[in-house]
Amino acid sequence: MRVPLYLIIIALFVASCGEYQKVLRDDDVARKYSMADSLYQKGKYKKALKLMEQIVPAYRGKPQAERLMFMYANTFYNLEDYYLAGYQFERFVTAYPTSDSVETAAYRSAKSYYELSPRYSLDQKDTYKALEELQAYINKYPNSELRLEANTLVTELREKLEKKDFEIAQQYLNIEDYKASIAAFENFITDHPGASLRKNAFYGRLEAAYKLAINSIPALVQERLLTAKGYYNSFVKYYANSDLKEDADKILAEIDERLVEEPTS
């Protein structure tokens, strides 16, 4: 009597599961290592990880440790557990600086922190960590095949930080905290010299300074209008042909009109 194929498959599956559970409960670390390696190669990372977690301490200092520790870190990476992947890859780089896998480990450590970087509106601690790790990788491996990709990731992370800093300055302007807005826009201009939003920061500083002036006590209005006019001059020095020039000119016209009305001291 022929046995249906699906019954054979089920039987093999049950047998393999039983073997896995047996090895999982076994005290034979070499057997655990062999099965973890086999499962890892097949992409069965969750099962492999359970075995690795049991044997990593036993293999520290042994010849197999280097390969095991790379697989261990890479298993977290493939399971998208980037906190542990970044940490374990960092440990690998420190422990095996001459390994053939050290460059890959260094990159995946940095890439793990990149994956952890949240959207720009949230706390950017992991973004700063990712930038630090990626820049360290680029500096250490200037001829790496992954250099272009690393530079692309760095650019993306910097743009995220730029957007966050700009939004902070803009939020101060929206809530009418003009002094804080001016300071934040000035910090943005200093900290992000090549930013795509730099033009908007120059304009935002002008707008905040003008609104600060017209909402000041009479004794401070003229001085602050003149400061705002100075910010207009800075804007047109760099962005005379920008799409914000017309709006900046409107602010200048209002500044000049108010200066004429203000009594000279």
Side-chain angles (χ1 to χ4, degrees):
M1 184 180 73
R2 295 181 61 185
V3 179
L5 179 61
Y6 76 91
L7 290 178
I8 295 174
I9 294 172
I10 291 172
L12 290 172
F13 175 76
V14 170
S16 67
C17 288
E19 180 67 14
Y20 173 75
Q21 292 298 328
K22 185 178 179 180
V23 174
L24 199 62
R25 294 191 297 268
D26 200 344
D27 292 330
D28 188 338
V29 293
R31 196 176 178 193
K32 290 177 188 286
Y33 181 100
S34 178
M35 180 170 278
D37 189 4
S38 176
L39 291 168
Y40 174 86
Q41 299 302 330
K42 293 174 183 176
K44 297 180 179 180
Y45 299 116
K46 288 184 178 179
K47 283 189 171 183
L49 180 60
K50 287 185 178 180
L51 291 166
M52 290 181 196
E53 287 174 336
Q54 291 183 351
I55 63 176
V56 161
Y59 275 96
R60 286 200 178 97
K62 294 183 178 181
Q64 303 96 325
E66 179 184 327
R67 185 168 185 274
L68 176 60
M69 292 309 296
F70 183 85
M71 288 195 300
Y72 188 49
N74 207 43
T75 296
F76 286 119
Y77 187 83
N78 287 320
L79 290 173
E80 299 182 3
D81 187 341
Y82 295 117
Y83 273 113
L84 286 175
Y87 172 70
Q88 292 298 339
F89 275 127
E90 277 188 290
R91 290 187 66 190
F92 181 90
V93 169
T94 301
Y96 306 103
T98 61
S99 170
D100 292 340
S101 300
V102 71
E103 181 180 334
T104 301
Y107 183 74
R108 290 184 184 173
S109 174
K111 184 74 179 291
S112 294
Y113 289 108
Y114 162 83
E115 296 290 354
L116 290 169
S117 175
R119 64 179 185 271
Y120 78 92
S121 59
L122 299 177
D123 180 78
Q124 295 299 307
K125 178 182 68 174
D126 288 319
T127 302
Y128 284 109
K129 176 67 174 177
L131 277 171
E132 179 184 330
E133 294 288 321
L134 283 165
Q135 196 59 59
Y137 174 83
I138 292 167
N139 293 342
K140 189 168 185 178
Y141 303 102
N143 299 316
S144 169
E145 293 179 358
L146 294 169
R147 180 182 174 87
L148 287 177
E149 181 180 333
N151 278 322
T152 298
L153 298 183
V154 166
T155 298
E156 182 181 330
L157 293 175
R158 284 178 176 165
E159 287 177 350
K160 184 182 294 187
L161 293 177
E162 290 165 6
K163 188 172 183 180
K164 182 175 181 65
D165 287 349
F166 181 85
E167 289 297 323
I168 289 171
Q170 188 64 43
Q171 184 61 26
Y172 282 130
L173 179 58
N174 294 341
I175 64 173
E176 301 179 1
D177 188 344
Y178 301 123
K179 287 184 178 180
S181 181
I182 293 167
F185 278 127
E186 288 187 336
N187 288 337
F188 181 94
I189 291 166
T190 301
D191 295 341
H192 307 292
S196 59
L197 291 168
R198 196 165 185 263
K199 168 194 66 178
N200 303 74
F202 269 84
Y203 178 81
R205 182 177 64 172
L206 164 62
E207 183 181 357
Y210 171 65
K211 289 183 176 178
L212 174 65
I214 63 176
N215 286 283
S216 297
I217 61 173
L220 295 175
V221 171
Q222 185 180 48
E223 177 187 350
R224 288 179 173 174
L225 285 171
L226 291 171
T227 298
K229 190 168 185 176
Y231 289 148
Y232 169 85
N233 292 333
S234 296
F235 173 84
V236 295
K237 178 181 178 181
Y238 297 105
Y239 304 106
N241 298 316
S242 81
D243 58 330
L244 293 173
K245 173 66 162 50
E246 184 177 346
D247 291 330
D249 287 343
K250 289 179 181 177
I251 292 177
L252 176 65
E254 292 178 16
I255 290 171
D256 285 338
E257 182 179 342
R258 288 176 180 271
L259 282 172
V260 170
E261 297 171 357
E262 287 294 319
T264 57
S265 54

